[in-house]
Every structure is written in structure tokens, then in C-alpha cells.
Amino acid sequence: MSSEQNPPEPDLPQAVPVRRHRLAPSLVWLIPVVAALIGGWLAVHAILSRGPSITISFQNAEGIEAGKTRIKYKDVEIGEVTSVKLSPNRQAIIATAQLSKDAADYLAEDSRFWVVRPRVSGGGVSGLGTVLSGSYIGMDIGKSEARKSDFVGLETPPIINADLPGQTFTLRADNLGSLNTGSPVYFRRVPVGQVVGYELEPKGGFVKVAVFINAPYDRFVSANSRFWHASGVDVSLSANGLNVSTQSLAAIALGGIAFETPLADNAGIPLSDRNFILHDTRDKALQNPDREMQPFRLRFRQSLRGLTIGAPVDFRGITIGEVTAIGVQYVPERKDFDMTVDIRTYPSRLDSLSRGGRISGKLSPQALVANGMRAQLRSGNLLTGQLYVALDFFRDAPPAKLAVKGGLPELPTIPGDLEELQRVLQRIVKKLDAIPFDSIGQEADASLKSLQQTLDSVKRLSDGLNNQTVPQASKTLEQLQQTLEATRQTMKADSPLQQDVRSAAQEVKETARSFRALADYLDRHPEALVRGKEAQP
């Protein structure tokens, strides 16, 4: 049973253990080796593909966050801000950014960076797209060949990009007026550019305004072009009535500049200089340039109230100069003061209006003074009391000569119209003071008494007439009325007189008819005058 239940086991080969060599590599270790190789390759690739690192300084870190704020050029992402920290002097913040390798050529010396965020300005609203996506740093690539990695960011976005076609011009102005960055520039009322910046001259003498004219409109700017302020509304009153002019509603709100080339110079002169003068008005801008300048000094013995520096010097309605200075000088001989006025005249302005040739070359100040030319203060506006200097010929003026004192020729003057009127009124007042009003009053009193006596006599005479003459006149009027009534009764149609008159008229009519019949018979029988009338058969 036991042999049947437990059969003999077959003979199996015995396993022989083999000792493994401990230095043989295991396949399991290949996985970390491969991973390390891949990581190293990725690290090397990242290092080789990484672009330059730059720093940008801003006044504050508004809208800038490390690891989130991107750097974009034309809305294409080219980098990222990696860190933000304060500058050593704590006056600004320094943002460190890592750019892509392709952006290495963008780091020109004049490249510009700014933070794009929602902004509201007079020119409009910008950066609305960043309300949802968040702020980012915008970039504008410069044109310089030099390279750098440290930049100062702009606090406001630039008005124009470096790659925008057009030209930039510099205008010199006495004051900025209502201009601001972004103010439009017009040519024939068409917006062709804008103001891109302004700065005060180091000595404070004038303001430099930079304007950019877009292509192709920049070709309309030549050496003869004239620029002027086109801000607000220009109101002028002339013989044609009230004239109101403005470039656009934007120019009223934001200010603006307009330019034009005179019709005679439409061909244009090639630009040799990009600097121009910014005039206050269009009329001043389009005036012909003054080639000649002649200064004079005037002396007045009257008040200069209402005369200001810059007031016009007028010759029969033509402005040929302006007042440059106003002063006072003591005269010991008279123990009085002379009010001095320095003027500047431009004789060439008369040449520009002359059709017969050059005038200024024929003008001699000494000859003009000998012929009666004088300077006079006149009122330019009765409401404001503004004065101006008028040059004209006064043939009745006392003889005078053109004197030169202090290096300036002094042009003779005569009193102004208002001054002369005051003198006439003073003379009239003096004559009125000389009239003996007291004696005239006494004589007038005596005359009034005599007149009163005369009136009393007239009254007595009137009373006598009322008592005597009036009753007689009443009786005469009653008799006249009775006579008129008798005449009216006589002239009635049924009165006896009227009947007698009608009977007499009838008899006269019958007699006339008999005479007519006799005349007709004698006309037919003239012999009847001798023979008599023949008997009828």
C-alpha cells in the first residue's frame, strides 16, 4: 500500500548555483542615466537658447510683477520680468527681465520701454485690453547701432514708434500756449501729425516744441513753410463783418498747430534745417520776412497809460513796426520828465505792398522829418483805452530835425488827439473863468425887473380891453350875424327876390329868341330894311 501510494520520484538534475560577477551593470540603472542625460541636454539647450538679461528702471512698480509681467513688441511676447527690487538710492524700482534669444538684436541704445496699462488722457483712452489680461511692458526698437542692457523706462507711452514713416521738426515758440503732447498738427485743416514733446530752453528764453509729420504729408514741409498756433477759436472783426475760425473741435479742446507754404513758394525749397518759428497767429506767420530794421526813440510829454510793449507802429493803417521799450528820462532844464518810447520799424513792409519798385531804399528819415513826418499817440480802442504809435505827415507842424542821442535817432512827436482835446477844453475852461458872471447876473436881474414892469403894463392894457373894447366888439358881431341871417333869407329859393329874378331871366330869354328870329329873317330878306316886311298871302 505504501509503495502504491508513494511511487518513486524521478531523477531530476541538481541545480548548480553560479556566482554572479559583482561589477556587471544592471539594466535598472540605465533609466536614471538616460534621465540625467536628457536633463543635461535640456539644461544645455535652455542655456544656449536663453536670450540676454536686461534691467529697466521705473518710477514705481505699478502693474509690474515678477514671474507674471510679460515684455511685448507689437503684441508679440519676447520676454518676462524675473525680479523687481528697489534701486540703491530708493528713488526708483529696477525690473530685471529675461528676453528670448531672438530679441538680442532689439536692444539698441535708443530702444524704449514703458508699462502698458489703462490710461485716460485728453487725446483719448488707451490700454483697455489690459483690464482683463493684465499690464505688460511695451517695447519700441531703436535705430542706433550701439547696444546696451540697462534702460530707463518711460512713464507714458511714446506718441510715435521709431518705425513710423515721417519726419520730426523742431519749432521755436515764445510760449507753449495750450499745446500738449499729442496735440494735432494740421495742413489745410487735415490732421497730418502731432506734437511729440516739448522742453524749455536752458536759459528760459523760449520753448522748443517737437512735432512729427506723418508720411506722405511730410513732403509738404519746405524751407518756406510757416507754422502757427491753431488752438482755440480765432475771432476777428473787419470791414466784412465778424469772422470766427477754428481748425477743429479737437484743436479747441487740446490745442493744435497748423502750417502752410505761401502760394508764391508752392514749389518749395529743399530742407536744409528742420527748425522753424512757431508764430502766434496765421497773419503773423504769413507776413513777408522783414529784411530791414530801423530803430527810433520818441519823446512825449504826456501820459503813456494804455501803451504797452508790442503795441503796433502804424503808418496810415499799415503796421510797419512795434514798440520795444518804454522808459522815463529827467530833463534838468525844464525840471520835468520826458516819457521815452523805443520803436522798431520795418521799411521793407512798404516794399512788399509797392507795385512800383523798392521804396525803402528811397526813404531818408531826415527828409521825411523835414517834410512833416511826426509820431503821435492815438487811441486804438475806446473801450480798453489801448494806445498805439501813429506815423504820419503833419504839414502844419513846427519845423524839426532828426537828432541822434544815445546812439538812437529821435523822431519828433506831436501831442495826441486826446491830449490836444484836453488842451482845447482847458483853454475853453480858462475863457469861461474870465467871463464876469456876477455882473452879468446883476444885469440879468435888472432886466428881469424891467420885464416884470412891462408885463404888468400889458396886463393893465388887457384888463382895459376886456372892460371897454370887448363889449363893443360883441355888439358888432351881433349886427354882423343879423346881416348874414338877412342875406341867407334873401338867397332862399322861395323868396320874392328869387322869383323876380327868375321872371326877369325868362323875359330876357324871350327877348333873345325874338332878336334871333329877326336876325334870321334879315339874313334871308335884307331888302326888308328898305321895303319893309312883305305881307303874307
Side-chain angles (χ1 to χ4, degrees), residues 85-108:
K85 63 181 180 179
L86 287 172
S87 62
N89 59 2
R90 300 186 297 275
Q91 299 297 320
I93 65 101
I94 297 177
T96 302
Q98 188 67 49
L99 302 183
S100 62
K101 187 177 181 179
D102 297 336
D105 296 335
Y106 300 167
L107 303 179

Side-chain angles (χ1 to χ4, degrees), residues 4 33 179 187 218 243 256 330 339 341 423 497 521 535:
E4 292 180 358
V33 171
L179 297 177
F187 177 73
D218 56 340
N243 182 29
Y330 180 69
M339 312 306 294
V341 177
R423 293 182 179 181
L497 178 61
Y521 181 79

Side-chain angles (χ1 to χ4, degrees), residues 380-419:
N381 192 313
L382 295 177
L383 296 178
T384 62
Q386 296 295 317
L387 300 178
Y388 69 95
V389 178
L391 300 181
D392 207 338
F393 291 94
F394 299 87
R395 309 299 181 184
D396 299 334
K401 294 183 179 181
L402 187 70
V404 179
K405 296 181 181 180
L408 286 177
E410 293 190 357
L411 197 64
T413 63
I414 63 173
D417 295 337
L418 293 178
E419 186 73 13

Side-chain angles (χ1 to χ4, degrees), residues 299-347:
R299 291 179 179 270
F300 295 97
R301 299 183 184 179
Q302 64 184 88
S303 173
L304 300 183
R305 185 178 181 85
L307 184 67
T308 59
I309 296 177
V313 177
D314 179 275
F315 175 72
R316 295 181 179 178
I318 301 174
T319 301
I320 62 172
E322 65 269 352
V323 176
T324 58
I326 298 175
V328 63
Q329 187 173 357
Y330 180 69
V331 182
E333 294 80 4
R334 301 196 325 267
K335 295 182 179 181
D336 198 355
F337 291 90
D338 280 346
M339 312 306 294
T340 61
V341 177
D342 293 345
I343 64 173
R344 183 169 52 217
T345 61
Y346 305 100

Side-chain angles (χ1 to χ4, degrees), residues 172 174 199-208:
R172 174 175 173 173
D174 293 335
E199 63 177 352
L200 191 63
E201 190 261 341
K203 296 183 179 180
F206 55 89
V207 179
K208 291 182 179 179

Side-chain angles (χ1 to χ4, degrees), residues 97-406:
Q98 188 67 49
L99 302 183
S100 62
K101 187 177 181 179
D102 297 336
D105 296 335
Y106 300 167
L107 303 179
E109 187 177 16
D110 54 348
S111 295
R112 298 176 292 180
F113 296 86
W114 66 94
V115 179
V116 179
R117 62 174 71 97
R119 298 177 187 272
V120 179
S121 62
V125 181
S126 62
L128 289 180
T130 62
V131 174
L132 300 177
S133 63
S135 301
Y136 64 90
I137 296 178
M139 180 183 181
D140 183 32
I141 301 176
K143 298 181 179 180
S144 176
E145 297 294 335
R147 296 291 184 265
K148 71 175 184 178
S149 59
D150 298 328
F151 298 90
V152 177
L154 304 176
E155 295 304 315
T156 58
I159 301 299
I160 59 172
N161 296 326
D163 57 352
L164 185 65
Q167 299 185 61
T168 301
F169 302 93
T170 301
L171 309 181
R172 174 175 173 173
D174 293 335
N175 57 78
L176 184 62
S178 58
L179 297 177
N180 203 344
T181 302
S183 296
V185 178
Y186 297 92
F187 177 73
R188 301 188 183 278
R189 299 184 184 273
V190 176
V192 297
Q194 51 196 328
V195 176
V196 296
Y198 56 86
E199 63 177 352
L200 191 63
E201 190 261 341
K203 296 183 179 180
F206 55 89
V207 179
K208 291 182 179 179
V209 181
V211 298
F212 184 83
I213 308 298
N214 301 319
Y217 305 110
D218 56 340
R219 61 188 175 89
F220 297 123
V221 181
S222 67
N224 293 329
S225 297
R226 317 289 175 83
F227 291 79
W228 67 90
H229 280 281
S231 307
V233 180
D234 183 14
V235 181
S236 61
L237 183 63
S238 62
N240 296 326
L242 183 65
N243 182 29
V244 180
S245 175
T246 183
Q247 295 292 327
S248 68
L249 294 177
I252 297 177
L254 305 177
I257 297 175
F259 74 93
E260 185 177 336
T261 301
L263 294 177
D265 304 324
N266 270 343
I269 301 176
L271 280 174
S272 58
D273 188 4
R274 297 180 183 273
N275 298 320
F276 294 89
I277 301 296
L278 181 60
H279 299 273
D280 292 335
T281 61
R282 181 177 182 271
D283 293 337
K284 290 184 178 180
L286 297 182
Q287 285 180 353
N288 291 325
D290 299 313
R291 300 184 299 271
E292 301 177 12
M293 190 273 291
Q294 177 64 54
F296 291 99
R297 174 164 291 175
L298 312 177
R299 291 179 179 270
F300 295 97
R301 299 183 184 179
Q302 64 184 88
S303 173
L304 300 183
R305 185 178 181 85
L307 184 67
T308 59
I309 296 177
V313 177
D314 179 275
F315 175 72
R316 295 181 179 178
I318 301 174
T319 301
I320 62 172
E322 65 269 352
V323 176
T324 58
I326 298 175
V328 63
Q329 187 173 357
Y330 180 69
V331 182
E333 294 80 4
R334 301 196 325 267
K335 295 182 179 181
D336 198 355
F337 291 90
D338 280 346
M339 312 306 294
T340 61
V341 177
D342 293 345
I343 64 173
R344 183 169 52 217
T345 61
Y346 305 100
S348 59
R349 295 185 181 182
L350 296 177
D351 293 338
S352 62
L353 299 175
S354 173
R355 298 182 180 180
R358 183 176 174 83
I359 294 179
S360 59
K362 305 175 183 178
L363 298 178
S364 170
Q366 185 64 48
L368 295 177
V369 171
N371 197 33
M373 174 169 279
R374 300 290 187 270
Q376 186 183 51
L377 291 179
R378 294 180 182 176
S379 176
N381 192 313
L382 295 177
L383 296 178
T384 62
Q386 296 295 317
L387 300 178
Y388 69 95
V389 178
L391 300 181
D392 207 338
F393 291 94
F394 299 87
R395 309 299 181 184
D396 299 334
K401 294 183 179 181
L402 187 70
V404 179
K405 296 181 181 180

